[in-house]
Structure formats: C-alpha cells, structure tokens
Amino acid sequence: MKIDLTDTNSSKINKTILEARRAVGTPAVGMVLTLVVVTDEENAYDAVKAANEASREHPSRTLVVIKRHARSPRARSETRLDAEVRVGTDAGAGETVLLRLHGEVARRADSVVLPLLLPDAPVVVWWPVDAPDVPSKDPLGSLAQRRITDAYAVEDPIGALAVRAASYAPGDTDLAWTRLTPWRSLLAAALDQAPMTVTSAAVESEAENPSAELLARWFGDRLDVPVERVVTDGPVVTAVRMGTPDGEIRIDRPEGPVARLAIPGQPSRVMALKVRTTAELIAEELRRLDPDEAYAAALRYGQ
C-alpha cells in the first residue's frame, strides 16, 4: 500500500501510518529500530531498495529524508513537506516513509523526523551520499546510536577518511569498513590455522580504494608491521599478502565471487569471497549498535 500526502506535517504522517497499518494488518511491535536515510532524489531509489531488503532481517521503520533543492527564488521561498507512506509488501518487512522537504523545512529536517521515530527503539542514520563532515554533530546524526557513511560515495575517498578520523565519535562507521568483514575474517582464520610471526604485509587494490586503505591501517594497528599499498586494475581489493619467516600467506581475488588462500606448507584452497550488495552491508551494520573499536583504531592509525 502506498499513500501520497502533499503539503503535510508529522502529525498527519503518523496518523496515516497507523491507518495504513490497520488496513493491511501490519503490527508495529515487531519493528526493532528506526532507520533514517538521508539522500537526494537521484540516489533515493537505490537507497530505499537496499533499506527494504535489509529490513527483512531487521524489521524497521525507514524514514527517507530527501531534501529538494529548488531552482528559482520563488520555489526556494516555498516551505512544504510532501510524504509517501508505504506499508505491507511495498515496504519490505517494516514500513517506509519518503519525506520530501522543500524550502526552509529542509534545514530543520530533525524537527520533521523526531516525531516519527519509533518510541523506545534505537535510531540509525545512513547517508548514502553527501554525508556531513561531523556526523555526530549533525542534527539528524545526533538522534542516532549508529551513524553510517560511505567513503566510496565521495570524489576523494582517502581525504574523506582523514575527515572521518578527525571527527570520529563512538557510533560512527563507514561502509568502506563493512566491506572488509569477509577479508578480515579470512585473514584471522588463516593465522589461526598456521600461527606465524608476520613481518610484513601488502594490500593490492585499485587506486584510491578506501577499503584497501582501511585494511592497510588495520594491519599496521594490529600487527605493527610495515604495510605496502600496491595499485592494480581492481576491481576493489584484489589480493592481500602477509610475509612470515616460513613464507607468504596470500589471499587472491582478482575477480568473481571466490578467492584462493595460500598458506606455507599447506595446499591452496578456494574460499567464497564475493563483493556484497549495499543491502547486505546495511544488514550487517544493523546487527550491532555498540561502538566499533576496531574501526576507530584502524581509521585513526597513522593520523
């Protein structure tokens, strides 16, 4: 079910959500959090799709804040809130509200969002693009226990990591770090299988890859060894090497969903290591709302 509201307010939106929920027989008690997605019109479709897919694992109320930028002085002086309420199959396993903010109300998005938050439930804010420099001090970010950015969505990803390091607050995270979870799990498992002293490391990836940069910093923080960054044609991270006195531990994933793990003295083996979708990344982030200390340490390493 989809319901459009023009020139509305938060009170009318809340009333519409309740009426729509009764109409389709969808209770609110199963929803575990409020996900606030702050995006633009261009990226709204993909962000909503990812949020809806993630809601099948984490039923939630998704509030999509779309700030409309008017082209004429007259339109810029107009203050209006339009909304689209989606419940049932149109909203994954929760409910979705698209909020289009025009004029002055776009500067006070928190005043629109606050009355729509689920009571006594965690709040997560995700910026697919155009994240603020200090997410924790953003009016919407200050409402959240978890704040998700994505260094891939900016022109200077490595510069963005420096900004994130300077402004980090507990609860901040970035999808560039989330993309590394399978890599970090494989590397930790490799060292568990063959305990060796790591003397050096190298990360191979396409140029200006923020995940590769974070992985290199994670190596430096955890292993205290020199880390080489090697530029390849990609896509994304293509290989990781760890030097030991017994030989080189290596994970290669030049392309496709599988990687090859080589450990000195053992036969090489093929491991699943696919590039995950945005929905899978968001679902992972919603599994934990406590501060990610490993991300904080890697982000700040060498700064």
Side-chain angles (χ1 to χ4, degrees), residues 110 123 125 127 134-145 147:
D110 55 316
V123 178
V125 177
W127 291 271
V134 187
S136 62
K137 293 185 179 180
D138 179 82
L140 289 173
S142 64
L143 301 174
Q145 287 76 37
R147 295 168 292 275

Side-chain angles (χ1 to χ4, degrees), residues 20 26 31 110 148-149 212 273-274:
T26 305
M31 286 183 282
D110 55 316
I148 306 172
T149 56
L273 194 62
K274 69 172 185 175

Side-chain angles (χ1 to χ4, degrees), residues 82-284:
D82 298 334
E84 180 183 328
V85 177
R86 302 178 181 180
V87 296
T89 56
D90 292 311
E95 54 197 25
T96 300
V97 183
L98 275 65
L99 303 166
R100 290 183 169 86
L101 284 60
H102 303 255
E104 185 65 27
V105 71
R107 301 180 184 178
R108 298 299 307 275
D110 55 316
S111 65
V112 175
V113 168
L114 188 58
L116 300 176
L117 301 178
L118 289 174
D120 303 320
V123 178
V124 177
V125 177
W126 169 35
W127 291 271
V129 294
D130 298 330
D133 288 342
V134 187
S136 62
K137 293 185 179 180
D138 179 82
L140 289 173
S142 64
L143 301 174
Q145 287 76 37
R146 194 76 161 173
R147 295 168 292 275
I148 306 172
T149 56
D150 192 353
Y152 272 94
V154 301
E155 292 185 5
D156 181 12
I158 307 304
L161 294 181
V163 174
R164 297 281 169 261
S167 65
Y168 175 81
D172 290 355
T173 192
D174 196 283
L175 294 186
W177 175 253
T178 317
R179 292 181 178 95
L180 293 175
T181 300
W183 282 96
R184 293 188 294 120
S185 298
L186 273 181
L187 291 164
L191 290 177
D192 285 342
Q193 295 173 37
M196 301 177 184
T197 301
V198 178
T199 57
S200 65
V203 178
E204 301 180 11
S205 76
E206 60 192 358
E208 298 295 309
N209 184 288
S211 292
E213 178 65 22
L214 286 172
L215 186 56
R217 295 184 189 185
W218 180 68
F219 272 134
D221 175 67
R222 289 303 176 95
L223 300 176
D224 192 24
V225 297
V227 183
E228 181 185 5
R229 288 280 283 105
V230 180
V231 176
T232 66
D233 293 333
V236 296
V237 179
T238 55
V240 173
R241 293 179 277 117
M242 295 187 291
T244 76
D246 299 320
E248 191 174 72
I249 299 174
R250 184 181 181 98
I251 299 177
D252 281 295
R253 186 191 64 183
E255 60 183 350
V258 296
R260 186 170 295 277
L261 171 63
I263 300 176
Q266 299 183 19
S268 62
R269 66 200 74 175
V270 175
M271 316 287 287
L273 194 62
K274 69 172 185 175
V275 177
R276 296 182 296 166
T277 66
T278 302
E280 291 173 310
L281 300 175
I282 292 297
E284 177 185 328

Side-chain angles (χ1 to χ4, degrees), residues 70-90:
R71 297 181 179 180
S72 66
R74 179 179 179 181
R76 283 194 291 270
S77 66
E78 180 184 14
T79 297
R80 192 176 83 246
L81 169 63
D82 298 334
E84 180 183 328
V85 177
R86 302 178 181 180
V87 296
T89 56
D90 292 311

